[in-house]
Amino acid sequence: MFLTRLVYASTISENFSSSDIEEILKSARKHNKINNVTGMLCFNRKFFLQCLEGSRTKVNEAYHKILNDNRHSKIVLLDYKEIDMREFSNWSMGFMPDSSLTAPINLKYSGKGEFLPYEMSGESAHQMMLELRELTDPIS
Ligand SMILES: Cc1cc2nc3c(=O)[nH]c(=O)nc-3n(C[C@H](O)[C@H](O)[C@H](O)COP(=O)(O)O)c2cc1C
């Protein structure tokens, strides 16, 4: 059972409402706990950047559901690889709101001070999420 990490970017759908993010996190954490999937979701009210890690089968199953979720669109895979260990093992799905996505952090990992996940390399996106991980305690 290989451990894998998947990183993707997406955009909220037109009919996205502010309560959707709570529902997404609730559902993600519930399913991820059952499936031993861990990771982080960054969200600036327009774009998502998500990292999923876990067994290859479970990460792929979660990604297939996420691809078919009409609360977002323009889903672009930024990175997919086999890994030796998890980096978000204490997070069933950590959440980073726009208040954490500051200009200095964006500038460090991309060409601009804005949160533009489509313009980030998979590795930059991954490194940025590792730095964000240090800002707050794990959410279970
Ligand atoms: C941006 C975004 C991130 C999501 N992250 C996860 C996740 O990490 N794990 C998960 O199981 N579902 C996640 N979901 C929800 C799934 O798309 C799906 O609604 C959920 O797994 C419930 O599936 P079910 O109807 O088969 O029970 C996410 C959805 C969105 C829009």
Side-chain angles (χ1 to χ4, degrees):
M1 185 184 71
F2 292 107
L3 265 182
T4 58
R5 179 177 67 233
L6 186 155
V7 179
Y8 76 86
S10 66
T11 304
I12 58 166
S13 55
E14 276 178 19
N15 53 359
F16 192 88
S17 79
S18 53
S19 61
D20 281 337
I21 189 64
E22 297 302 327
E23 291 298 319
I24 288 169
L25 283 171
K26 207 168 129 190
S27 162
R29 287 173 180 153
K30 186 179 107 189
H31 287 88
N32 292 351
K33 270 185 200 165
I34 294 167
N35 297 317
N36 293 312
V37 170
T38 49
M40 178 181 283
L41 179 67
C42 301
F43 178 55
N44 74 336
R45 296 166 200 258
K46 181 165 188 200
F47 302 123
F48 291 107
L49 173 67
Q50 190 175 28
C51 170
L52 296 161
E53 55 185 23
S55 76
R56 181 164 61 195
T57 310
K58 295 300 181 189
V59 166
N60 272 281
E61 281 174 8
Y63 188 54
H64 280 241
K65 284 200 278 185
I66 290 168
L67 283 173
N68 288 316
D69 195 314
N70 60 16
R71 290 172 288 192
H72 64 166
S73 63
K74 300 179 192 135
I75 301 164
V76 174
L77 185 65
L78 302 186
D79 194 29
Y80 179 78
K81 67 193 301 186
E82 289 174 4
I83 53 173
D84 297 330
M85 61 174 189
R86 294 171 194 255
E87 288 160 330
F88 300 96
S89 50
N90 295 324
W91 309 66
S92 57
M93 188 46 61
F95 180 62
M96 288 295 150
D98 50 357
S99 57
S100 303
L101 304 168
T102 59
I105 286 213
N106 287 317
L107 198 60
K108 184 168 173 184
Y109 296 101
S110 68
K112 292 182 187 165
E114 297 160 57
F115 180 61
L116 297 168
Y118 294 105
E119 296 185 22
M120 299 176 83
S121 71
E123 190 51 29
S124 294
H126 170 227
Q127 291 296 332
M128 188 177 92
M129 285 189 275
L130 289 183
E131 181 162 344
L132 291 168
R133 182 188 63 176
E134 304 307 318
L135 295 180
T136 183
D137 292 330
I139 303 163
S140 53

